[in-house]
Amino acid sequence: MKWCKLLSGQLQNTLKQTEVVLANMPGNADALTLKGAVLVKQNNLDAAMVIAEQVLKDHPDHNDGISLKTAIYIAKNDFANALATVEKGLQLKPNDVDLLEVKLQVHSQSKNSAALEQDYLNLIQLFPENLKYSYELAKHYAENNQDPKALSTLQAIIDAHPDKLQPKL
């Protein structure tokens, strides 16, 4: 959901730009999902859902379409449908990092700590070279008063990647 970081001052301009693209390339999935993201930011969830469903009908494995539909359900606090949407995408693309990160967001927003921990562990196993997930898991542990787990996670990073912690001269 990279596009979710749209600044409120840019919404109208972005909406106008997507309309220009769509006038020249009707059905463009990327422009449609960006338009849907703007509509989510404007709390026009029903119109955004129409767009998400249109994109996913034509492109069932379109990451941003999946992310858009998931974001709509999250905005409605409908975490069961948000999770079902991202799980459906993961059936099509099982180890897709973007969709796995969307799943993380669903569990984070729904305050499902156990599922969030499992998501991080899965990402660490799939992408061990990406230390971001280990650091985020350690932070999650620390925020949930699980300091021994936080410390052991950080120690595991140090043990597995001592080269990444050496100062470069």
Side-chain angles (χ1 to χ4, degrees), residues 102-123:
V102 170
K103 186 177 177 184
L104 265 174
Q105 291 178 347
V106 172
H107 287 137
S108 177
Q109 293 293 316
S110 67
K111 309 282 191 251
N112 187 336
S113 184
L116 185 61
E117 177 182 2
Q118 191 55 50
D119 291 343
Y120 279 125
L121 292 171
N122 184 38
L123 281 162

Side-chain angles (χ1 to χ4, degrees), residues 7-164:
L7 300 174
S8 60
Q10 298 174 322
L11 295 179
Q12 284 308 115
N13 189 36
T14 302
L15 196 54
K16 287 177 188 174
Q17 290 174 350
T18 59
E19 293 298 340
V20 169
V21 171
L22 290 169
N24 293 309
M25 298 186 301
N28 180 284
D30 294 328
L32 284 168
T33 55
L34 184 56
K35 179 179 179 179
V38 171
L39 293 171
V40 169
K41 286 291 201 178
Q42 293 175 333
N43 206 31
N44 191 345
L45 302 179
D46 293 335
M49 183 61 84
V50 169
I51 290 171
E53 298 211 345
Q54 177 185 349
V55 169
L56 292 174
K57 179 182 172 212
D58 296 338
H59 311 279
D61 65 343
H62 192 271
N63 281 12
D64 285 340
I66 294 165
S67 296
L68 174 61
K69 191 170 182 180
T70 303
I72 294 163
Y73 283 128
I74 289 172
K76 293 179 175 186
N77 291 320
D78 185 350
F79 300 112
N81 277 319
L83 185 59
T85 299
V86 75
E87 289 287 357
K88 186 175 180 182
L90 285 166
Q91 288 174 357
L92 298 171
K93 299 161 96 174
N95 293 328
D96 186 279
V97 69
D98 293 328
L99 294 179
L100 290 167
E101 287 185 357
V102 170
K103 186 177 177 184
L104 265 174
Q105 291 178 347
V106 172
H107 287 137
S108 177
Q109 293 293 316
S110 67
K111 309 282 191 251
N112 187 336
S113 184
L116 185 61
E117 177 182 2
Q118 191 55 50
D119 291 343
Y120 279 125
L121 292 171
N122 184 38
L123 281 162
I124 291 165
Q125 182 179 8
L126 290 170
F127 308 102
E129 71 286 350
N130 191 337
L131 299 181
K132 172 179 86 169
Y133 305 121
S134 295
Y135 284 117
E136 288 179 5
L137 178 59
K139 182 180 172 189
H140 168 73
Y141 286 143
E143 289 171 347
N144 288 283
N145 297 317
Q146 297 178 0
D147 292 339
K149 281 186 170 183
L151 291 173
S152 68
T153 301
L154 291 172
Q155 188 61 53
I157 295 169
I158 293 168
D159 294 345
H161 303 281
D163 57 311
K164 295 195 179 208

